[in-house]
């Protein structure tokens, strides 16, 4: 565990107890079973914002606390433990990062205080097909005088069905595959010409496919020069997401460990069988390695280190593999009970696969890591 | 397609007979519909299915190698293989299935009394009686022999009390083959093999929902259920041997067959390399673009190929042999692992499209692939978990005993 200052410890402890009391897995299950179309609980989000979580990255001058990524990571780890689905990832982490990196003072003033207050849901729309390929952006944008007209589609946008503000990565010049020619565009969630198709996904989070038909938006940052900001935003989002994944892996591991210590077969605890012991030991080892990647990467953003991109890909690949394994083992080691919908194992498994795919899977990030290191 | 030069003339005569019969009886409308129509809850059956099932049931070819005297096919293994080949050629499939065919029937033929065989085999052969497996209990899973469902001798009948769990298809079953406790003082030697009519008063089933969203299995409660004496199969307190024999048939079916451990569980039917190119893209050479994914897909496809070769080898080696051997454990573990890997790769390759649960934005195949991926997680749990199979391999086959 990272060495925390007093403020960070308080926030983490506060998050731990709020999550346990107000947002246990049963709350997520209830949300899922209620057929909630938003993919998160608005009342819970209000409470999260009141505790300051929506504004952890936002400087005080814009209504936040400016505590940074490691602190937000501590909260995400706790919410990840209970599968809490909230706009923390889409709004407080990803969209906020883009606004902080590229927003004009006026734009920051317009959006950041509202985000910090929990009144504005925002998201970043990048992908256009089944896989994460920011370098292949094709959605057409024609820019003139600070405005951009958008035509095309975005897929699997997190909280895309509810977002009041969608930050769209558009191609304003050049061809898909080229680095230049990307522009970030601020689009009102209710803009005319924008249609949103909410998706019912395996992990019951609020994703949507968005279609743009002559939708007008406002430039965020510089026309044609958005690729750099986009990449930095994505790296920070990836790292924040791995904090959530880490909490989730840790929790599913602990639940499984507890089961190994209670379930009896052949007159003994199943945890006494070496076949299971060694796998538990291996998972524990990988959890520790994964934690180092996540905390190292979060701290690197806060220090503005020059290897954040590498650390982002490292963490996303390692922790992606970690949640993959741990979620599978959770089902397997619980036996029949782990296969039932009434047990939580399936919920962890389903969420894990969605996170693995979000912002690039392990293959994508292994390849990117090698490229970044020059081989 | 000419028959091999050294083909057995009698076998070739049978081939022609089978071909002709299949041509006359298999409704063409059923080609490719096996997946939709098999399984006890299938809602998509129709008149053609009923007709086909009746024809195969009457002919006994759904259970081709079982003895003719109980209405089954009475074919030799070689003939059965020819029948299968001929069915494959025209896309015909076996409409007679379920646990009765896969597990209970073969066990009944080995251990049942003559009266029991006469009474129960024909219903399985015709596909008229569905059987379920009452083995597992909440406290007795991997350690099956710790089961506690009580069976007491009441003179002219048995009285059964207790609970089974994970009973697949119990909500549709007519009959249950169950392991029950008839002696509390011994573990393995206190278990009997009992056939229970699911319509008996005191039998209650409650479906359990799986992570894949469907409810293929149940909790099954027995409260003062009266079972006729003639439904005891094998000797009193001699059920464990029979029960284990049945598990061998189960594992053999799961490993090599199209059952749970098979390589394909609905949804995408294309090979993964094709799916990967469709969803994740190909490079200019027509290869899967993502190099890491390409290697992992290759690894899986090689595993699958090795497995298919092993299935074929086991089949040809089994020709002279009687029934399944301890090596069926290898098949079950290999088959279920490879099947799960395929499902994981499919979901990964489909990316966001492999994360749908229902509704708009996803194709039927995509949604079925996701459900199949989830449901397939059970293949390393049921029929003896992967860990239990590995223990069997280590102890019985490799001789790595606990205390040496
Ligand atoms: C979809 C599905 C359908 C099923 N259908 C039927 C059915 O029709 N009829 C029926 O009777 N049962 C059925 N079962 C039950 C199945 O046989 C049991 O789930 C299985 O035997 C495991 O038992 P358990 O669930 O109690 O897990 P447990 O035995 O509690 O096992 C929990 C974990 O401990 C491991 N473990 C246990 N012992 C050891 C050991 N000695 N060494 C190492 N690891 C060990 C297991 O492998 C597993 O990972 C079904 C199960 C499923 C999931």
């Amino acid at each position: 565990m990272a060495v925390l200052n007093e403020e960070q410890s308080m926030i983490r402890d506060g998050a731990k107890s709020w999550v346990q009391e107000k947002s246990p897995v049963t709350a997520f299950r209830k949300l899922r079973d209620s057929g909630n179309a938003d993919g998160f609980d608005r009342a819970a989000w209000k409470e999260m914002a009141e505790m300051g979580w929506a504004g952890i990255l936002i400087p005080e001058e814009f209504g936040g606390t400016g505590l940074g990524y490691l602190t937000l990571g501590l909260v995400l780890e706790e919410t990840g433990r209970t599968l809490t689905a909230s706009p923390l990832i889409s709004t407080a982490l990803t969209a906020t990062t883009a606004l902080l990196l590229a927003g004009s003072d006026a734009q920051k003033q317009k959006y950041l205080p509202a985000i910090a207050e929990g009144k504005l849901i925002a998201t970043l729309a990048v992908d256009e097909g089944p896989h994460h390929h920011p370098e292949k952006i094709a959605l057409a944008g024609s820019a003139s005088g600070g405005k951009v007209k958008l035509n095309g589609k975005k897929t699997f946008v997190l909280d895309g069905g509810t977002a009041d503000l969608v930050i769209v990565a558009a191609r304003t010049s050049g061809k898909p595959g080229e680095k230049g020619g990307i522009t970030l565009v601020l689009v009102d969630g209710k803009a005319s010409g924008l249609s949103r198709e909410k998706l019912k996904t395996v992990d019951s989070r609020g994703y949507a496919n968005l279609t743009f038909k002559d939708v007008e938006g406002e430039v965020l940052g510089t026309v044609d020069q958005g690729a750099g900001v986009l990449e930095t935003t994505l790296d920070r989002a990836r790292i924040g997401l791995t904090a959530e994944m880490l909490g989730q892996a840790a929790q599913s591991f602990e639940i499984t460990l507890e089961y190994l210590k209670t379930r009896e077969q052949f007159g003994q605890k199943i945890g006494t069988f070496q076949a299971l012991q060694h796998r538990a030991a291996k998972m524990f080892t990988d959890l520790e390695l994964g934690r180092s990647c996540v905390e190292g990467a979060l701290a690197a953003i806060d220090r503005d280190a020059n290897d954040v991109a590498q650390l982002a890909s490292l963490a996303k690949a390692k922790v992606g593999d970690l949640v993959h394994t741990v979620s599978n083992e959770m089902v397997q080691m619980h036996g029949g009970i782990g296969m039932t919908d009434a047990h939580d194992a399936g919920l962890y498994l389903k969420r894990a696969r969605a996170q693995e795919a979000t912002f690039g899977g392990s293959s994508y990030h292994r390849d990117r890591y090698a490229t970044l290191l020059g081989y | 397609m000419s028959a091999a030069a050294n083909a057995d003339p009698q076998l070739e005569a049978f081939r022609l007979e089978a071909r002709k019969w299949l041509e006359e009886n298999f409704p063409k409308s059923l080609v490719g519909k096996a997946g939709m129509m098999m399984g006890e809850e299938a809602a998509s059956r129709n008149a053609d299915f009923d007709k086909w099932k009746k024809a195969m049931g009457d002919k006994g070819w759904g259970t081709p190698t079982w003895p003719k005297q109980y209405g089954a096919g009475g074919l030799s293994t070689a003939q059965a293989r020819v029948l299968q080949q001929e069915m494959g050629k025209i896309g015909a499939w076996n409409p007679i299935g379920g646990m009765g065919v896969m597990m209970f029937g073969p066990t009944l033929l080995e251990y049942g009394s003559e009266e029991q065989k006469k009474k129960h085999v024909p219903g399985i052969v015709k596909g008229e009686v569905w059987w379920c497996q009452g083995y597992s209990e909440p406290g007795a899973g991997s350690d099956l022999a710790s089961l506690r469902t009580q069976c007491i001798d009441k003179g002219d009948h048995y009285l059964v009390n207790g609970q089974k769990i994970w009973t697949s298809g119990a909500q549709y079953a007519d009959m249950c083959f169950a392991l029950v406790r008839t002696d509390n003082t011994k573990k393995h030697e206190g278990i009997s093999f009992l056939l229970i009519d699911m319509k008996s008063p005191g039998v209650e089933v409650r479906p359990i929902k799986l992570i894949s969203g469907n409810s293929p299995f149940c909790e099954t409660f027995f409260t003062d259920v009266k079972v006729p004496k003639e439904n005891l199969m094998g000797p009193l307190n001699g059920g464990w041997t029979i029960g284990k024999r049945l598990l061998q048939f189960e594992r053999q079916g799961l490993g090599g067959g199209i059952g749970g451990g098979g390589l394909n569980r609905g949804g995408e039917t294309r090979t993964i390399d094709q799916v990967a190119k469709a969803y994740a893209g190909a490079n200019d050479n027509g290869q899967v673009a993502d190099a890491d994914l390409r290697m992992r897909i290759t690894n899986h496809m090689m595993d699958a190929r090795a497995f298919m070769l092993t299935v074929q080898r086991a089949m040809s080696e089994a020709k002279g042999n009687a029934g399944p051997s301890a090596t069926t454990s290898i098949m079950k573990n290999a088959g279920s692992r490879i099947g799960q890997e395929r499902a994981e790769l499919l979901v990964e390759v489909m990316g966001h499209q492999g994360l749908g649960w229902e509704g708009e934005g996803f194709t039927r195949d995509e949604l079925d692939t996701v459900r199949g991926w989830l449901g397939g997680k059970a293949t390393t749990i049921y029929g003896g978990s992967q860990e239990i199979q590995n223990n069997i391999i280590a102890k019985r086959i490799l001789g790595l005993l606990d205390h040496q």
Side-chain angles (χ1 to χ4, degrees):
Chain A
M1 189 82 69
V3 182
L4 304 179
N5 63 34
E6 210 175 309
E7 194 155 29
Q8 289 168 329
S9 303
M10 265 177 56
I11 289 190
R12 192 208 42 216
D13 295 346
K16 234 186 214 340
S17 54
W18 182 84
V19 161
Q20 274 163 19
E21 278 169 38
K22 299 293 188 71
S23 186
V25 181
T26 46
F28 169 66
R29 184 182 284 280
K30 229 168 105 185
L31 190 75
R32 179 197 74 163
D33 294 342
S34 72
N36 169 303
D38 291 343
F40 66 94
D41 177 352
R42 289 192 185 262
W45 177 235
K46 187 159 173 275
E47 285 186 35
M48 293 166 94
E50 278 162 9
M51 288 182 291
W53 297 355
I56 289 178
L57 296 184
I58 296 172
E60 285 178 21
E61 54 174 318
F62 297 112
T65 52
L67 290 170
Y69 287 86
L70 181 59
T71 309
L72 180 56
L74 297 171
V75 173
L76 284 167
E77 186 179 333
E78 296 307 322
T79 55
R81 280 182 174 269
T82 60
L83 304 170
T84 305
S86 79
L88 273 179
I89 298 277
S90 61
T91 307
L93 170 67
T94 312
T96 296
T97 297
L99 287 164
L100 284 171
L101 289 172
S104 66
D105 258 7
Q107 286 167 336
K108 289 182 187 166
Q109 200 61 63
K110 183 170 173 195
Y111 297 116
L112 293 178
I115 287 178
E117 272 187 82
K119 292 199 170 130
L120 186 99
I121 312 283
T123 191
L124 177 71
V126 184
D127 298 333
E128 299 179 8
H131 290 273
H132 179 68
H133 278 304
E135 57 283 350
K136 289 189 186 160
I137 287 166
L139 182 136
S142 59
S144 76
K147 300 279 181 207
V148 184
K149 193 167 270 181
L150 302 170
N151 279 291
K153 63 167 190 171
K154 291 287 179 186
T155 56
F156 226 68
V157 180
L158 187 55
D159 296 323
T162 43
D164 307 296
L165 172 68
V166 184
I167 303 175
V168 181
R171 176 156 299 283
T172 37
S173 71
K175 285 197 290 289
E178 290 175 10
K179 232 183 145 66
I182 302 290
T183 305
L184 295 181
V185 185
L186 300 168
V187 173
D188 191 309
K190 291 192 205 63
S192 81
L194 171 61
S195 51
R196 330 202 237 187
E197 178 184 51
K198 286 186 182 176
L199 300 172
K200 287 194 176 138
T201 57
V202 77
D203 71 331
S204 309
R205 242 185 191 173
Y207 308 87
N209 287 339
L210 309 184
T211 311
F212 300 78
K213 226 179 145 197
D214 289 334
V215 175
E216 199 169 80
E218 181 184 309
V219 174
L220 173 70
T222 315
V223 173
D224 286 349
Q225 306 294 311
V229 172
L230 176 63
E231 204 56 25
T232 308
T233 302
L234 283 172
D235 275 332
R236 295 181 180 193
R238 287 160 181 154
I239 292 167
L241 178 63
T242 62
E244 181 186 85
M245 294 160 78
L246 178 71
Q248 193 179 306
Q251 187 69 20
S252 39
F253 176 70
E254 285 163 28
I255 295 170
T256 307
L257 193 61
E258 193 50 40
Y259 195 68
L260 297 185
K261 291 175 180 173
T262 45
R263 171 70 171 170
E264 287 186 17
Q265 286 290 277
F266 304 100
Q268 50 195 309
K269 310 282 185 225
I270 57 172
T272 61
F273 300 125
Q274 277 191 352
L276 304 186
Q277 286 176 343
H278 285 194
R279 273 147 60 191
K282 170 89 169 53
M283 280 192 276
F284 176 71
T285 307
D286 290 342
L287 262 166
E288 290 299 307
L289 294 173
R291 174 172 298 285
S292 310
C293 295
V294 172
E295 290 180 355
L298 286 164
I301 309 176
D302 286 334
R303 303 197 293 280
D304 208 7
N306 59 13
D307 59 352
V308 169
Q310 282 173 28
L311 290 169
S313 281
L314 171 72
K316 190 68 190 13
K318 293 311 287 178
V319 179
D321 291 349
L322 175 71
V323 284
H324 189 92
T325 306
V326 176
S327 59
N328 273 339
E329 288 284 33
M330 185 181 194
V331 174
Q332 180 65 25
M333 291 190 180
H334 278 83
I337 199 96
M339 280 302 296
T340 62
D341 185 67
H343 194 272
D344 291 340
L347 301 179
Y348 281 89
L349 177 72
K350 292 166 183 175
R351 177 61 61 77
R353 292 305 174 276
Q355 290 163 326
E356 286 170 56
T358 302
F359 303 142
S362 293
S363 282
Y364 177 88
H365 285 290
R366 278 193 284 267
D367 181 65
R368 182 168 179 264
Y369 188 76
T371 305
L372 286 167
L373 286 170
Y375 64 91
Chain B
M1 214 178 321
S2 71
N6 58 354
D8 173 342
Q10 270 177 333
L11 212 51
E12 287 316 301
F14 174 75
R15 184 185 296 281
L16 294 179
E17 177 198 330
R19 189 176 295 168
K20 182 156 173 286
W21 187 87
L22 289 167
E23 284 292 341
E24 284 162 12
N25 288 280
F26 178 66
K28 298 276 175 295
S29 69
L30 298 183
V31 173
K33 300 272 171 64
M36 281 163 60
M37 294 192 177
M38 289 306 286
E40 49 278 71
E41 75 271 49
S44 54
R45 293 186 190 142
N46 57 24
D48 275 354
F49 174 83
D50 294 342
K51 197 180 122 211
W52 172 230
K53 188 173 126 182
K54 178 147 189 351
M56 280 289 271
D58 288 347
K59 188 86 178 161
W61 279 3
T63 47
T65 58
W66 295 8
K68 221 175 167 87
Q69 73 215 77
Y70 310 112
L75 303 182
S76 68
T77 7
Q79 286 174 320
R81 208 173 303 123
V82 166
L83 174 63
Q84 210 175 6
Q85 287 164 358
E86 290 304 313
M87 285 171 65
K89 279 184 201 158
I90 61 165
W93 42 273
N94 191 349
I96 311 287
M99 289 188 171
V101 173
M102 195 162 97
M103 316 172 192
F104 177 61
T107 315
L108 173 63
L109 288 169
E110 268 182 45
Y111 288 94
S113 67
E114 193 50 39
E115 291 73 50
Q116 287 169 336
K117 290 189 221 176
K118 279 202 187 111
K119 181 160 179 205
H120 298 296
V121 180
I124 301 172
V125 167
K126 292 190 182 302
E128 287 166 1
V129 180
W130 277 98
W131 288 80
C132 67
Q133 177 183 37
Y135 275 31
S136 305
E137 298 179 6
S142 297
D143 182 15
L144 182 58
S146 65
L147 61 94
R148 294 212 303 243
T149 295
Q150 279 292 336
C151 171
I152 295 169
D153 188 341
K154 288 285 180 182
D156 62 340
H157 67 270
Y158 292 113
L159 196 66
V160 177
N161 276 288
Q163 184 198 345
K164 295 290 175 183
I165 195 167
W166 323 125
T167 329
S168 297
Q171 67 269 53
Y172 313 103
D174 308 294
M175 293 291 294
C176 174
F177 52 92
L179 290 177
V180 292
R181 184 148 300 285
T182 38
D183 184 345
N184 288 319
T185 63
K186 299 189 189 96
K187 194 174 179 181
H188 299 84
E189 296 81 26
I191 293 171
S192 298
F193 196 101
L194 197 66
L195 315 181
I196 304 175
D197 188 330
M198 292 297 281
K199 286 179 283 297
S200 317
V203 178
E204 191 200 334
V205 297
R206 291 185 204 151
I208 308 172
K209 197 171 176 196
L210 272 182
I211 58 175
S212 54
N214 56 346
S215 303
F217 59 11
C218 301
E219 290 180 283
T220 308
F221 298 89
F222 300 100
T223 314
D224 288 336
V225 176
K226 285 185 183 174
V227 179
K229 280 259 164 115
E230 71 252 28
N231 283 16
L232 178 73
M233 197 166 116
L236 190 71
N237 295 322
W240 184 245
T241 312
I242 305 175
K244 268 197 317 189
R245 180 68 173 134
L246 184 136
L247 282 177
Q248 283 188 333
F249 288 117
E250 174 176 11
R251 287 163 191 173
Q252 183 190 41
L254 293 176
I258 51 151
L263 298 184
N264 204 343
R265 293 186 59 83
E268 262 302 340
T269 49
R270 290 176 289 179
T271 55
I272 299 195
D273 57 314
Q274 289 173 313
V275 183
K277 283 196 245 173
Y279 283 88
N283 66 19
D284 295 339
N285 299 324
Q287 300 166 327
V288 173
D290 181 325
D292 181 71
L293 193 57
R294 181 164 178 259
M295 285 307 136
R296 288 189 293 127
I297 288 171
T298 307
N299 209 11
H300 163 75
M301 305 235 317
M302 286 184 161
D303 271 350
R305 182 81 174 267
F307 181 68
M308 292 321 291
L309 289 169
T310 308
V311 170
Q312 285 164 14
R313 181 164 69 88
M315 263 161 52
S316 61
E317 284 175 2
K319 263 190 215 167
N321 254 331
S325 70
T327 51
T328 54
S329 281
I330 293 162
M331 303 293 262
K332 202 224 162 209
N333 268 6
S336 55
R337 175 178 62 80
I338 295 166
Q340 287 182 351
E341 276 166 9
R342 173 180 158 87
E344 284 285 1
L345 276 170
L346 275 176
V347 165
E348 180 183 344
V349 156
M350 287 180 173
H352 304 324
Q353 296 305 118
L355 295 168
W357 184 249
E358 60 189 11
E360 305 285 295
F362 305 98
T363 66
R364 188 73 254 159
D365 267 355
E366 287 165 353
L367 295 173
D368 287 348
T369 299
V370 171
R371 304 293 182 119
W373 158 66
L374 289 165
K377 294 292 175 199
T379 59
T380 45
I381 296 171
Y382 60 50
S385 71
Q386 158 202 295
E387 289 78 11
I388 294 302
Q389 301 301 326
N390 277 337
N391 284 344
I392 293 173
I393 295 171
K395 288 178 191 168
R396 296 217 202 115
I397 302 176
L398 305 180
L400 299 167
L401 302 173
D402 283 343
H403 307 287
Q404 273 185 327

